[in-house]
Amino acid sequence: MWVCLCEQINDEALADSYAQGLKTVKQLKQAKHLGSTCGKCIRLAKQKLDQLDSSF
Ligand code: FES
């Protein structure tokens, strides 16, 4: 599933980034440009990060 369609970031890419230490939307925005085009993915990205936080 796409998390950020504009920047082509899917669930798997988000989980990989999370595992590499990008654990906040701000960090993902700076490093991967998530949310920097239309911004519609921010809410979903936060939900996905919360899920990843609770799974560790
Ligand atoms: Fe992420 Fe547009 S979907 S910036």
Side-chain angles (χ1 to χ4, degrees):
M1 172 184 180
W2 290 115
V3 179
C4 177
L5 189 57
C6 296
E7 300 299 327
Q8 305 280 290
I9 299 170
N10 61 16
D11 281 327
E12 192 174 312
L14 190 80
D16 287 347
S17 294
Y18 184 92
Q20 292 168 14
L22 301 175
K23 297 180 187 283
T24 66
V25 168
K26 185 177 179 183
Q27 289 171 328
L28 286 160
K29 190 171 190 175
Q30 289 172 342
K32 304 288 181 182
H33 308 293
L34 178 142
S36 59
T37 305
C38 75
K40 289 181 180 174
C41 55
I42 299 289
R43 190 170 170 183
L44 177 59
K46 282 182 179 166
Q47 288 174 358
K48 296 284 182 184
L49 290 171
D50 284 347
Q51 287 172 5
L52 288 164
D53 279 339
S54 61
S55 68
F56 283 98

Coordinates of all heavy atoms in Angstrom, one line a residue:
M1 N 0.8 -1.2 0.0 CA 0.0 0.0 0.0 C 0.9 1.2 0.0 O 1.9 1.3 0.7 CB -0.9 0.0 1.3 CG -1.7 1.2 1.5 SD -2.6 1.1 3.1 CE -3.3 2.7 3.0
W2 N 0.5 2.2 -0.8 CA 1.2 3.5 -0.8 C 0.9 4.3 0.5 O -0.2 4.3 0.9 CB 0.8 4.4 -2.0 CG 1.3 3.8 -3.3 CD1 0.5 3.4 -4.3 CD2 2.6 3.7 -3.7 NE1 1.3 3.0 -5.4 CE2 2.6 3.1 -5.0 CE3 3.9 4.0 -3.2 CZ2 3.8 2.9 -5.8 CZ3 5.0 3.7 -3.9 CH2 5.0 3.1 -5.2
V3 N 2.0 4.8 1.0 CA 1.8 5.8 2.1 C 1.9 7.2 1.6 O 1.0 8.0 1.8 CB 2.9 5.6 3.2 CG1 2.7 6.6 4.3 CG2 2.8 4.1 3.8
C4 N 2.9 7.4 0.8 CA 3.1 8.7 0.1 C 3.2 8.5 -1.4 O 4.3 8.0 -1.8 CB 4.3 9.4 0.7 SG 4.7 11.0 -0.1
L5 N 2.1 8.7 -2.1 CA 2.1 8.4 -3.5 C 3.0 9.4 -4.2 O 3.7 9.0 -5.2 CB 0.7 8.5 -4.0 CG 0.5 8.1 -5.4 CD1 0.9 6.6 -5.6 CD2 -1.0 8.2 -5.8
C6 N 3.0 10.7 -3.8 CA 3.8 11.7 -4.5 C 5.3 11.3 -4.5 O 6.0 11.5 -5.5 CB 3.7 13.0 -3.9 SG 2.0 13.7 -4.0
E7 N 5.8 10.8 -3.4 CA 7.2 10.4 -3.3 C 7.5 8.9 -3.4 O 8.6 8.5 -3.1 CB 7.8 11.0 -2.0 CG 7.7 12.5 -1.8 CD 8.4 13.3 -2.9 OE1 9.5 12.8 -3.4 OE2 8.0 14.4 -3.3
Q8 N 6.4 8.2 -3.8 CA 6.6 6.8 -4.1 C 7.1 6.0 -2.8 O 8.1 5.2 -2.9 CB 7.5 6.5 -5.3 CG 7.0 7.2 -6.5 CD 5.9 6.5 -7.2 OE1 6.1 5.5 -7.8 NE2 4.7 7.1 -7.2
I9 N 6.5 6.3 -1.7 CA 6.9 5.6 -0.4 C 5.8 4.6 0.0 O 4.7 5.1 0.3 CB 7.2 6.6 0.7 CG1 8.4 7.5 0.2 CG2 7.5 5.9 2.0 CD1 8.6 8.7 1.2
N10 N 6.0 3.4 0.0 CA 5.0 2.4 0.4 C 5.3 1.9 1.8 O 6.2 2.3 2.5 CB 4.9 1.2 -0.6 CG 6.2 0.5 -0.8 OD1 7.1 0.6 0.1 ND2 6.3 -0.3 -1.8
D11 N 4.4 1.0 2.2 CA 4.6 0.4 3.6 C 6.0 -0.1 3.9 O 6.5 0.1 4.9 CB 3.6 -0.7 3.8 CG 2.2 -0.3 4.1 OD1 2.0 0.8 4.7 OD2 1.2 -0.9 3.6
E12 N 6.4 -0.9 2.9 CA 7.7 -1.6 3.0 C 8.8 -0.5 3.1 O 9.7 -0.7 4.0 CB 7.9 -2.5 1.8 CG 9.1 -3.4 2.0 CD 9.2 -4.4 0.8 OE1 8.1 -5.0 0.4 OE2 10.3 -4.6 0.3
A13 N 8.8 0.5 2.3 CA 9.8 1.5 2.3 C 9.8 2.3 3.6 O 10.8 2.6 4.2 CB 9.7 2.5 1.1
L14 N 8.6 2.5 4.1 CA 8.4 3.2 5.4 C 9.0 2.4 6.5 O 9.7 2.9 7.4 CB 6.9 3.5 5.7 CG 6.7 4.4 6.9 CD1 6.9 5.9 6.5 CD2 5.3 4.2 7.4
A15 N 8.7 1.1 6.5 CA 9.2 0.2 7.6 C 10.8 0.1 7.5 O 11.4 0.1 8.5 CB 8.6 -1.2 7.4
D16 N 11.3 0.1 6.3 CA 12.8 0.1 6.1 C 13.4 1.3 6.7 O 14.4 1.3 7.4 CB 13.1 -0.1 4.6 CG 12.9 -1.5 4.1 OD1 12.7 -2.4 4.9 OD2 13.0 -1.6 2.9
S17 N 12.8 2.5 6.4 CA 13.3 3.8 6.9 C 13.2 3.8 8.4 O 14.1 4.3 9.1 CB 12.4 4.9 6.3 OG 12.7 5.0 4.9
Y18 N 12.1 3.3 8.9 CA 11.9 3.2 10.4 C 13.0 2.4 11.0 O 13.6 2.8 12.0 CB 10.5 2.6 10.7 CG 10.2 2.6 12.1 CD1 9.4 3.6 12.7 CD2 10.5 1.5 13.0 CE1 9.1 3.6 14.1 CE2 10.2 1.5 14.3 CZ 9.5 2.5 14.8 OH 9.1 2.5 16.2
A19 N 13.3 1.3 10.4 CA 14.3 0.4 11.0 C 15.7 1.1 10.9 O 16.6 0.8 11.7 CB 14.4 -0.9 10.2
Q20 N 15.9 2.0 10.0 CA 17.1 2.7 9.8 C 17.2 4.0 10.7 O 18.1 4.8 10.6 CB 17.4 3.1 8.4 CG 17.7 1.9 7.5 CD 17.6 2.2 6.0 OE1 17.6 3.3 5.6 NE2 17.5 1.1 5.2
G21 N 16.1 4.2 11.5 CA 16.2 5.3 12.5 C 15.3 6.5 12.1 O 15.3 7.5 12.9
L22 N 14.6 6.4 11.0 CA 13.7 7.5 10.7 C 12.3 7.2 11.3 O 11.5 6.5 10.7 CB 13.6 7.7 9.1 CG 14.9 8.0 8.4 CD1 14.7 8.0 6.9 CD2 15.5 9.2 8.9
K23 N 12.1 7.7 12.5 CA 10.9 7.3 13.3 C 9.9 8.4 13.4 O 8.9 8.2 14.1 CB 11.4 6.8 14.6 CG 12.3 5.6 14.5 CD 12.8 5.1 15.9 CE 13.8 4.0 15.8 NZ 13.3 2.7 15.4
T24 N 10.1 9.5 12.8 CA 9.1 10.6 12.9 C 8.8 11.1 11.5 O 9.6 11.0 10.6 CB 9.5 11.8 13.8 OG1 10.6 12.4 13.1 CG2 9.9 11.3 15.1
V25 N 7.6 11.7 11.3 CA 7.2 12.3 10.0 C 8.3 13.4 9.7 O 8.7 13.5 8.5 CB 5.8 12.9 10.1 CG1 5.5 13.8 8.9 CG2 4.8 11.8 10.2
K26 N 8.7 14.2 10.7 CA 9.7 15.2 10.4 C 11.0 14.6 9.8 O 11.5 15.2 8.8 CB 10.0 16.0 11.7 CG 10.9 17.2 11.5 CD 11.1 17.9 12.8 CE 12.0 19.1 12.6 NZ 12.3 19.8 13.9
Q27 N 11.5 13.5 10.4 CA 12.7 12.9 9.9 C 12.5 12.3 8.5 O 13.3 12.5 7.6 CB 13.1 11.8 10.9 CG 13.6 12.3 12.2 CD 13.8 11.1 13.2 OE1 13.1 10.2 13.2 NE2 14.8 11.3 14.0
L28 N 11.3 11.8 8.3 CA 11.0 11.2 7.0 C 10.8 12.3 5.9 O 11.2 12.1 4.8 CB 9.7 10.4 7.0 CG 9.9 9.0 7.7 CD1 8.5 8.5 8.2 CD2 10.5 8.0 6.8
K29 N 10.3 13.4 6.3 CA 10.2 14.6 5.4 C 11.6 15.1 5.0 O 11.8 15.3 3.8 CB 9.4 15.7 6.1 CG 9.0 16.8 5.2 CD 8.0 17.7 5.9 CE 7.4 18.7 4.9 NZ 6.3 19.5 5.5
Q30 N 12.5 15.2 6.0 CA 13.8 15.7 5.7 C 14.6 14.7 4.8 O 15.3 15.1 3.9 CB 14.5 16.0 7.0 CG 14.0 17.2 7.8 CD 14.6 17.3 9.2 OE1 15.2 16.4 9.7 NE2 14.4 18.5 9.7
A31 N 14.5 13.4 5.2 CA 15.4 12.5 4.5 C 14.8 11.9 3.2 O 15.5 11.6 2.2 CB 15.7 11.3 5.4
K32 N 13.4 11.7 3.2 CA 12.8 11.1 2.0 C 11.8 11.9 1.3 O 11.1 11.5 0.4 CB 12.1 9.8 2.6 CG 13.0 8.8 3.3 CD 13.9 8.1 2.3 CE 14.8 7.1 3.1 NZ 15.7 6.4 2.2
H33 N 11.5 13.1 1.8 CA 10.6 14.1 1.2 C 9.1 13.7 1.4 O 8.3 14.2 0.7 CB 10.9 14.4 -0.2 CG 12.3 14.8 -0.5 ND1 12.8 16.0 0.0 CD2 13.4 14.1 -1.0 CE1 14.1 16.0 -0.3 NE2 14.5 14.9 -0.9
L34 N 8.9 12.7 2.3 CA 7.5 12.3 2.6 C 6.7 13.5 3.0 O 7.1 14.3 3.8 CB 7.5 11.3 3.7 CG 6.1 10.8 4.1 CD1 6.1 9.3 4.4 CD2 5.6 11.5 5.3
G35 N 5.6 13.7 2.3 CA 4.7 14.8 2.7 C 5.0 16.2 2.2 O 4.4 17.1 2.4
S36 N 6.1 16.2 1.4 CA 6.6 17.6 1.0 C 5.9 18.0 -0.3 O 6.2 19.2 -0.8 CB 8.1 17.5 0.8 OG 8.5 16.6 -0.1
T37 N 5.1 17.2 -1.0 CA 4.5 17.7 -2.2 C 3.0 18.1 -1.9 O 2.7 19.3 -1.9 CB 4.5 16.6 -3.3 OG1 5.9 16.2 -3.4 CG2 4.0 17.1 -4.6
C38 N 2.1 17.2 -1.7 CA 0.7 17.6 -1.5 C 0.4 17.5 0.0 O -0.6 18.2 0.4 CB -0.3 16.7 -2.2 SG -0.4 15.0 -1.5
G39 N 1.1 16.8 0.8 CA 0.9 16.7 2.2 C -0.2 15.8 2.7 O -0.5 15.7 3.9
K40 N -0.9 15.2 1.8 CA -2.1 14.4 2.1 C -1.7 13.1 2.9 O -2.6 12.5 3.5 CB -2.9 14.0 0.9 CG -3.6 15.2 0.3 CD -4.4 14.8 -0.9 CE -5.2 16.0 -1.5 NZ -5.8 15.7 -2.8
C41 N -0.5 12.7 2.8 CA 0.0 11.5 3.4 C 0.4 11.6 4.9 O 0.6 10.6 5.5 CB 1.1 10.9 2.6 SG 2.5 12.2 2.5
I42 N 0.5 12.8 5.4 CA 1.0 13.0 6.7 C 0.2 12.2 7.8 O 0.8 11.5 8.6 CB 1.0 14.5 7.1 CG1 1.8 15.3 6.1 CG2 1.4 14.7 8.5 CD1 3.3 15.1 6.3
R43 N -1.1 12.3 7.7 CA -1.9 11.6 8.7 C -1.7 10.1 8.7 O -1.5 9.5 9.7 CB -3.4 12.0 8.5 CG -4.3 11.5 9.6 CD -5.6 12.1 9.4 NE -6.6 11.5 10.3 CZ -7.9 11.8 10.3 NH1 -8.4 12.7 9.5 NH2 -8.7 11.3 11.1
L44 N -1.7 9.5 7.4 CA -1.5 8.1 7.3 C -0.1 7.7 7.7 O 0.1 6.7 8.4 CB -1.7 7.7 5.8 CG -1.5 6.2 5.5 CD1 -2.4 5.3 6.4 CD2 -1.7 5.9 4.0
A45 N 0.9 8.5 7.4 CA 2.2 8.2 7.8 C 2.4 8.2 9.3 O 3.0 7.3 9.9 CB 3.2 9.3 7.2
K46 N 1.7 9.1 10.0 CA 1.7 9.1 11.5 C 1.1 7.8 12.0 O 1.6 7.3 13.0 CB 1.0 10.3 12.0 CG 1.8 11.6 12.0 CD 1.0 12.8 12.6 CE 1.9 14.0 12.5 NZ 1.1 15.3 12.7
Q47 N 0.0 7.4 11.4 CA -0.7 6.2 11.9 C 0.2 5.0 11.7 O 0.4 4.1 12.6 CB -2.0 5.9 11.1 CG -3.1 6.9 11.4 CD -4.3 6.7 10.5 OE1 -4.3 5.9 9.6 NE2 -5.3 7.5 10.8
K48 N 0.9 4.9 10.5 CA 1.8 3.8 10.3 C 3.0 3.8 11.2 O 3.4 2.8 11.7 CB 2.3 3.9 8.8 CG 1.3 3.8 7.8 CD 0.8 2.3 7.6 CE -0.2 2.2 6.5 NZ -0.7 0.8 6.5
L49 N 3.5 5.0 11.5 CA 4.6 5.1 12.5 C 4.2 4.7 13.9 O 4.9 4.0 14.6 CB 5.2 6.5 12.5 CG 6.0 6.9 11.2 CD1 6.3 8.4 11.3 CD2 7.2 6.1 11.1
D50 N 3.0 5.1 14.3 CA 2.4 4.6 15.6 C 2.3 3.1 15.6 O 2.7 2.5 16.7 CB 1.1 5.3 15.8 CG 1.1 6.7 16.2 OD1 2.2 7.2 16.5 OD2 0.1 7.4 16.2
Q51 N 1.9 2.5 14.5 CA 1.8 1.0 14.5 C 3.2 0.4 14.6 O 3.3 -0.6 15.3 CB 1.2 0.6 13.2 CG -0.3 0.9 13.1 CD -0.9 0.6 11.7 OE1 -0.2 0.1 10.8 NE2 -2.2 0.9 11.5
L52 N 4.2 1.0 13.9 CA 5.5 0.5 14.0 C 6.1 0.6 15.5 O 6.7 -0.3 16.0 CB 6.4 1.2 13.0 CG 6.2 0.8 11.6 CD1 6.8 1.7 10.6 CD2 6.7 -0.6 11.3
D53 N 5.8 1.8 16.1 CA 6.2 2.0 17.5 C 5.7 1.0 18.4 O 6.4 0.5 19.3 CB 5.7 3.4 18.0 CG 6.6 4.6 17.5 OD1 7.7 4.3 17.1 OD2 6.1 5.7 17.5
S54 N 4.4 0.6 18.2 CA 3.7 -0.3 19.1 C 4.1 -1.8 18.8 O 3.8 -2.6 19.6 CB 2.2 -0.1 19.1 OG 1.7 -0.4 17.8
S55 N 4.7 -2.0 17.7 CA 5.1 -3.4 17.4 C 6.5 -3.7 17.8 O 6.9 -4.9 17.7 CB 5.0 -3.6 15.9 OG 5.9 -2.9 15.2
F56 N 7.2 -2.7 18.4 CA 8.6 -3.0 18.9 C 8.6 -2.9 20.4 O 7.7 -2.4 21.0 CB 9.6 -2.1 18.3 CG 10.0 -2.4 16.9 CD1 9.3 -1.8 15.8 CD2 10.9 -3.4 16.6 CE1 9.7 -2.1 14.5 CE2 11.2 -3.7 15.3 CZ 10.6 -3.1 14.3
Ligands
FES1 FE1 2.8 12.4 0.2 FE2 1.5 13.7 -1.7 S1 1.1 11.8 -1.0 S2 3.2 14.4 -0.5

